[in-house]
Amino acid sequence: MSGTRTVNVIESEAVAFMKNAAVHPDLRIMLASIVFADSEGITVLRKGQLPAWLAQPGRRRASSGFVRARIDGLIEAGALAEGSTPTELRSMVAYGTEAESGEAA
């Protein structure tokens, strides 16, 4: 399997996982912040994409208040970096890696 194909399969599986209502919303947000992050640890999503992924069965989207509360909780827990929004998730995994690289230099 080629590298690009492998990435596409992982991304497809991640999206399916994030749409699964049985998966805790915080886990879905964390997965998005890691799987879809760019080289700086930032995941840019379309407006309404995260609320759609966090929707409960029978609903099209989660409320903006619910989404914001989940993100704020993850920031407080140290899982997402300050400045994370529903359209821009900032992964602490990437920030931790950058910090470790800087300390090693």
Side-chain angles (χ1 to χ4, degrees):
M1 190 179 282
S2 72
T4 302
R5 179 161 160 63
T6 302
V7 169
N8 290 340
V9 169
I10 291 169
E11 288 178 352
S12 294
E13 290 297 319
V15 169
F17 187 77
M18 285 183 283
K19 291 180 178 180
N20 183 340
V23 176
H24 194 280
D26 291 353
L27 182 55
R28 291 188 254 170
I29 294 170
M30 288 302 307
L31 183 63
S33 77
I34 296 167
V35 171
F36 302 110
D38 63 16
S39 62
E40 296 178 4
I42 299 173
T43 298
V44 178
L45 302 170
R46 292 184 323 270
K47 183 177 181 181
Q49 191 170 10
L50 189 59
W53 284 343
L54 299 180
Q56 293 299 310
R59 307 218 37 184
R60 280 187 52 181
R61 297 174 178 223
S63 72
S64 59
F66 175 81
V67 174
R68 184 73 250 172
R70 305 287 6 132
I71 290 171
D72 289 345
L74 290 167
I75 291 170
E76 285 181 32
L80 291 176
E82 289 288 333
S84 290
T85 69
T87 57
E88 190 173 282
L89 302 173
R90 298 173 175 269
S91 172
M92 285 303 288
V93 172
Y95 285 113
T97 302
E98 285 178 16
E100 289 171 10
S101 297
E103 290 173 5

